[in-house]
Amino acid sequence: MASKRSAKSKGLGLSTKAANSPSSSTTSSSMQFLETSVDGLSSPASSSARSKTPYSFSESVPLDAKENVAVTVRFRPLNPREIRQGEEIAWYADGETVVRNEYNPSLAYAYDRVFGPTTTTRQVYDVAAQHIISGAMEGINGTIFAYGVTSSGKTHTMHGDQRSPGIIPLAVKDAFSIIQETPNREFLLRVSYLEIYNEVVNDLLNPAGQNLRIREDAQGTFVEGIKEEVVLSPAHALSLIAAGEEHRHVGSTNFNLLSSRSHTIFSLTIESSPCGKNNEGEAVTLSQLNLIDLAGSESSRAETTGMRRREGSYINKSLLTLGTVISKLTEGRASHIPYRDSKLTRLLQSSLSGHGRISLICTVTPSSSNAEETHNTLKFAHRTKHIEIQAAQNTIIDEKSLIKKYQHEIQCLKEELEQMKRGIVSVQPKETGEVDFVLLKQKLEDGQVKLQSRLEEEEEAKAALLGRIQRLTKLILVSTKAPHTTRFSNRPGPRRRHSFGEEELAYLPYKRRDLISDDENPDMHVNLEGNTETADDSFKEEKKTKKHGLLNWLKIRKRDTGLSALSGTSDKSCGAKSVSTPSTPQAETVNNLESRHSHSLPAQSSPADLISVAREDKEFYEDSLLGQETPLVSIKSIDEIDLLREQQKILSEEVALHSSALKRLSQEAARNPQKYQIHSLTELMTQLNEKSFELEVKTADNHIIQEQLNQKIHECESLQETIGSLKQQLADALELRNFSPHHFSVTKDYHGEPHLDKESAMITNTNEKILLQEQASEIEGMKQKLAELLESKEQLELRNQKLAEESSYAKGLASAAAVELKALSEEVAKLMNQNERLSAELAAPKNSPAQLRNSGTGTVRNARRESHVRRNDHQGGSNSDIKRELASSKERELSYESALLDRDHKEAELQRRIEESKQREAYLENELANMWVLVAKLKKSQGADTDV
Ligand SMILES: Nc1ncnc2c1ncn2[C@@H]1O[C@H](COP(=O)(O)OP(=O)(O)OP(=O)(O)O)[C@@H](O)[C@H]1O
């Protein structure tokens, strides 16, 4: 527990560092706020908000110290596009713990650790993830998130590429290394992989598992019907991720050519118990490790349309809810926490509410164009730091755990086997301890005879039992090292670093995604300082010869073609990948455990059945990942058969050897009782038992191998049959082709039906004729179908092109209409202002005659009144003056009236134009919608064509 007690410092050991960081003297309010959080005093995650744990633990032992969420920030280098656009550095890593704003140096945030753009993912893993993984292996739930705006490097951090594996492969590898270095415990690992796409939960390990429901029971939230698979090796787990990645939603946006359009959660459930027979009643630890690659939030600057916009709004909404939940958790008073507002927060309820360790890795870009988004990410990270957690070690004492179930079953089977064995050899020492060698000899001989005969009878049953034990044992992972006396918590010190085998990372893109997408400058890597790093020659050489990773291929394959066309970038790897379709071993390696409520194995399908195909051979995955084709299969089968035959031979020899050894032993015992007197009877018995057990095991193995051999022979036979029938078909077809030009020709009658000419009718009998006619018509029909298909494909392509053109035209029209509309509305606003002013002017004299007198200008009536007043005032004025005045006022009146009319006209005209543009806009929208429908239909029909 010592290691756990120091969990906080072990977590990252950076709390004090943050406080002592250069920025701690900063006076900005954000810094002051932060320093409080770094001290871990102001994180009042309300206990009422904490949900139940995902499993019903008999015991949940809280660790001594409370911890905060480990928050780290990772900068990515400026990408070639940003460099080309001359973008500047807006935020930078100031030391190991501070992020500072370039333009406003007092604006700075401190975190547990800040990684600069040259940091490797391995370094990030060591600081931000390793302690979560080792905690999970000890029974403490753990969650690692990557959060950040689109294209900031979340997937790069979580998945990585083959040159730089991400947190997920590193964590998987580390988990298995920990098992290897913990010889005194047995482990059982199972994984699930899901995505939340447009607020729908999909099972990435099971394509049929779409739109799964999140349920809640006494134990917390869970996804109903999600598939969990028991994993046996890192390669096995990574192959499952690869299979899952095939189904993940990825698309191109104008910020990222391969943007993740969904949040993914990769969960590793770990059960462990002490090794050995006497672990009955010993507690099993159970924990869950969630590795989450969030989709990136999208700024309003993203010029997305249709589907992408819809996805973006779902992504933003769920991330907003995540932000709200985190704010509420740190508010310091028990308020309602809206976990239910999004699927993401609902699924993460247990983790977020403080049960288990959390590590948040915020990925950011330093570029000035994203300064605002980066600031938002930094604020989010800052808030999250305040969540307080109380990690606990989860233990189950009952038999509910899967590992217990398996252990129990193995024990029962072993006992059954032992009983069988005892039924055959029942030599017991005399209770008095005296050695009766004559009796012993007799019994040995009897036993041997019995053993021989019973062995044959019970061979089958035992073989099945042994096979089952072996397979079950395979599922429980144990270290290959000798067990030692250390307790679980005192695992040996730092672990050896394991490098990845090629096949294990085959699913990852071979190189960074920006390099894949940047067609202008494929090998350029630009770091924060703006230095250009060119990939070394060997890498280039390798690049030529190696295939792209599975993930890469899959993501590219799934990309929306229409949008990639709009973005104007082509993908070189796309074509290359479409040549060889990688397959995943999913279908064959399934140890299905449907949902956490279905861990108990169904009566009719024993665990042995479930795992019968769970072969963890490295070769197997390699083969599966490389997607070998049928001809190779038969060659492989033949090889395997040979191998099995060899093994069988060896085993038979061993059986014979052991039988003769047994015989010799018993004979010797009979001949030379003195010698055996030296040994104690128990020793002899043990030897005998061991030998007979070995013999049984070998026989069982032999039996299994024989079965496998038979199976392979069957397979081979069926393959040969298929080959034969194919050969026959080919020969027939060739014959037909060779035959037709010389002996008959297929012509069409007036109904358009193909038939044979007279010559052929003469040389073939009626049956042949019918057959040939049928075949000919079939060929003709297929040709026609092909031609039709080609034609419809062409038509579809044309239509597609036309639609794309129309769509871009419509887009142009829509933007022109929008500009026009804007101009019109400005004009309308102007006119309305003018109108208002005029009305005010008109209304003023009406309402206040006094004003009229003062103003001396105004409406006609005002003018009349004015003149009248003047007349009264200047009675002595000449008539001509008055007349002139009257005339001028009339003129003025007329001009006002005409201005008013003019204005009315203009207003009516504008109104009409507004109406028109509104109609046009509606029409265009309608057209656009129709076009999208057509595009969708087109895609569907294209898909159907491809299937055909
Ligand atoms: N630390 C880094 N070093 C080098 N390249 C990086 C780094 N982080 C990201 N990149 C590159 O930047 C590009 C975008 O990264 P990535 O796809 O991981 O972003 P993202 O945040 O997952 O985006 P989205 O949310 O759209 O899926 C990729 O080409 C990736 O290779």
Side-chain angles (χ1 to χ4, degrees), residues 76-77 150-156 256 259-260 296 512-514:
R76 73 151 163 78
T150 182
S151 190
S152 57
K154 295 179 296 298
T155 307
H156 178 83
N256 193 353
S259 177
S260 312
R512 264 180 23 225
R513 290 200 266 166
D514 54 345

Side-chain angles (χ1 to χ4, degrees), residues 29-30 92 128 253 286 377 564 620 667 773 796 870 873 906:
S29 58
S30 58
Y92 64 97
T253 64
L286 190 148
T377 305
S564 74
F620 174 80
Q667 280 169 356
Q773 214 159 8
L796 283 172
R870 275 191 204 146
D873 285 351
K906 259 190 188 162

